[in-house]
């Protein structure tokens, strides 16, 4: 049902607003194979394809000759061939071949900067060259079928990029929405990140590259604590370490210093009020033998259930990046919002 909803909304995508400059998921690597693929990003249509070297490219989807959709064409001799008049475009987007004629110098496609890592093809949003690289986690490659300890989620939602990403900076919702009652208080701190300049940078400077944070909370209590104690999954302290960019996050989760899983949280901004939330995760073996595998499956279920609990709320949020009423527990969210808006300014300036 969610997949069909995504297709319907994609067809009516409108240009996004208030979008930060950064790396966004264009398509999972495993879904970009031998034939060109239609990609809807930022409210516009693009074509994804692989050149002669196997590298992924993302170009504007319309042939400059007669307006044919290039994702209906094919790859010929390392070039993208239009299905209408067989014009061909090379990996830079330049027109390399026109049957019986010299290629017009003005015939070129817009090329988005791309990278391929962590199981995704990423496209850069914002003018100028990319200012940093997307997250590249080992073990999150381009496998089409998940393993027992690896999994991916791709969920369409009406939430904006900022609303999806700021959720990680909101410790209060762990209890309010996910029911993670703990024996104490959840805390979030902001260690200095590379390029950090206070709360997102001085007015005349480039913004900080990342908004890193560490979220900690003590052992679970109540019914969850009882079950966790019984199967050896409770801990004196749980820690979530996040490297946070304006468009994606790299997350590691620990129990008493023992890493349980790591993942990439990313977004495809299809159009205004239509995004896809991506999660690509690998769960560490939590101990030896069958018990270790059982615990790993429990950790996998934790991530999947939490992600799916967020979606009904995301889908019913008021449109846009609203601020609302702030309380003291929202300071981390406010800090991320300030950071994010600095990168919106970069996109609008460039």
């Amino acid at each position: 049902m969610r997949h069909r909803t995504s297709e319907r909304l994609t067809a009516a995508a409108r240009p996004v607003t208030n979008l930060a400059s950064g790396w966004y998921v264009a398509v999972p690597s495993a879904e970009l194979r031998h034939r060109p693929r239609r990609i809807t990003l930022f409210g516009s249509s693009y074509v994804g394809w692989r050149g002669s070297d196997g590298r992924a490219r993302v170009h504007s989807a319309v042939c400059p000759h007669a307006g044919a959709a290039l994702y209906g064409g094919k790859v010929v001799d390392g070039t993208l061939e239009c299905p209408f008049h067989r014009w061909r475009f090379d990996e830079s987007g330049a027109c390399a071949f026109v049957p019986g004629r010299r290629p017009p110098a003005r015939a070129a496609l817009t090329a988005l900067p791309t990278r391929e890592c962590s199981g995704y093809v990423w496209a850069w949003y914002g003018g100028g060259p990319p200012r940093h690289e997307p997250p590249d986690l080992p073990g999150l490659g381009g496998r089409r079928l998940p393993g027992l300890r690896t999994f991916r989620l791709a969920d369409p939602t009406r939430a904006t990029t900022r609303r999806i990403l700021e959720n990680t900076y909101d410790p209060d919702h762990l209890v309010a929405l996910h029911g993670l009652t703990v024996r104490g208080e959840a805390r979030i701190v902001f260690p200095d990140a590379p390029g950090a300049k206070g709360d997102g940078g001085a007015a005349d400077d480039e913004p900080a590259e990342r908004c890193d944070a560490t979220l900690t909370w003590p052992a679970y209590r109540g019914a969850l604590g009882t079950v966790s104690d019984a199967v050896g999954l409770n801990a004196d302290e749980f820690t979530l370490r996040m490297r946070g960019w304006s468009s994606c996050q790299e997350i590691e989760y620990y129990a008493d210093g023992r890493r349980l899983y790591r993942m990439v949280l990313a977004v495809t901004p299809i159009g205004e009020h239509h995004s896809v939330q991506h999660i690509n995760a690998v769960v560490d073996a939590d101990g030896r033998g069958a018990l270790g595998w059982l615990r790993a499956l429990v950790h996998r279920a934790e991530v999947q259930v939490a992600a799916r609990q967020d979606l009904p709320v995301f889908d019913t949020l008021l449109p846009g990046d609203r601020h609302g009423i702030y309380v003291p527990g929202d300071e981390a969210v406010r800090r991320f919002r300030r950071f994010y808006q600095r990168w919106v300014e970069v996109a609008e300036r460039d």
Side-chain angles (χ1 to χ4, degrees):
M1 175 65 71
R2 297 193 67 84
H3 182 69
R4 291 197 296 271
T5 299
S6 179
E7 290 182 341
R8 176 175 57 81
L9 294 175
T10 295
R14 293 180 294 154
V16 294
T17 58
N18 202 53
L19 187 63
S21 185
W23 290 103
Y24 293 92
V25 170
V27 64
S29 292
E31 296 182 13
L32 187 59
R33 309 188 76 183
H34 305 297
R35 298 193 62 84
R37 176 188 172 96
R38 180 185 181 183
I39 297 172
T40 305
L41 278 172
F42 323 128
S44 298
S45 289
Y46 293 88
V47 56
W49 62 290
R50 294 190 181 275
S52 57
D53 56 3
R55 291 177 56 190
R57 268 78 178 181
V58 179
H59 287 135
S60 50
V62 177
C63 179
H65 173 217
L70 292 169
Y71 47 79
K74 58 185 178 180
V75 178
V76 178
D77 296 332
T79 63
L80 178 63
E81 185 179 83
C82 175
F84 198 4
H85 297 93
R86 309 302 176 190
W87 287 29
R88 297 179 186 174
F89 301 87
D90 65 20
E91 295 151 358
S92 71
C95 185
F97 173 78
V98 173
R101 291 180 173 82
R102 182 190 299 273
R106 295 183 297 109
L109 308 176
T110 300
L112 297 184
T114 58
R115 302 287 190 273
E116 188 166 10
C117 54
S118 297
Y120 298 113
V121 175
W122 305 78
W124 177 264
Y125 176 81
R131 287 170 162 80
H132 56 81
E133 294 299 312
D136 188 4
L137 267 65
L140 300 182
R143 294 176 57 180
R144 174 172 289 271
L145 297 176
L148 291 175
R149 288 169 41 209
T150 61
F151 64 95
R152 297 181 191 173
L153 304 176
D155 295 304
T157 171
R158 293 182 181 273
T160 64
T161 294
R162 199 196 75 181
R163 297 303 292 264
I164 292 170
L165 296 178
E166 72 185 24
N167 202 42
T168 316
Y169 297 85
D170 182 7
D172 285 355
H173 98 284
L174 294 177
V175 175
L177 177 60
H178 301 307
L180 301 185
T181 54
V182 296
R183 299 167 188 167
E185 183 181 3
R187 304 178 306 278
I188 186 168
V189 297
F190 291 85
D192 289 338
K197 302 181 182 70
D199 263 353
D204 296 328
D205 296 332
E206 285 291 300
E209 178 181 313
R210 300 200 310 268
C211 184
D212 294 354
T214 300
L215 178 64
T216 60
W217 59 92
Y220 297 123
R221 62 178 177 84
L224 177 60
T226 301
V227 173
S228 298
D229 289 336
V231 295
L233 291 177
N234 220 337
D236 291 332
E237 184 176 74
F238 294 94
T239 303
L240 187 148
R241 298 175 184 169
M242 173 177 53
R243 302 174 75 214
W245 292 268
S246 59
S247 57
C248 55
Q249 296 168 358
E250 180 183 306
I251 296 170
E252 291 184 309
Y253 179 57
Y254 294 82
D256 288 340
R258 184 179 73 255
R259 191 177 67 189
L260 302 181
Y261 62 77
R262 50 200 165 94
M263 72 181 198
V264 166
L265 171 64
V267 182
T268 300
I270 300 295
E272 188 77 340
H273 313 314
H274 180 206
S275 309
V276 177
Q277 174 182 267
H278 295 277
I279 291 176
N280 193 5
V282 57
V283 181
D284 293 281
D286 190 7
R288 297 182 178 180
L291 182 59
W293 283 99
L294 175 61
R295 289 173 174 172
L297 291 176
V298 171
H299 300 319
R300 169 177 171 159
E302 287 175 342
V303 178
Q304 292 174 310
V305 169
R308 295 286 160 77
Q309 286 176 326
D310 289 326
L311 293 171
V313 177
F314 284 167
D315 287 346
T316 54
L317 288 170
L318 290 174
D321 288 333
R322 301 176 63 89
H323 292 281
I325 298 172
Y326 288 119
V327 297
D330 294 328
E331 183 52 42
V333 172
R334 295 183 70 180
R335 178 165 176 156
F336 173 75
R337 288 179 175 181
R338 290 192 292 268
F339 163 79
Y340 180 89
Q341 292 306 132
R342 290 300 311 278
W343 283 97
V344 171
E345 293 170 6
V346 170
E348 293 174 347
R349 182 178 69 231
D350 293 347

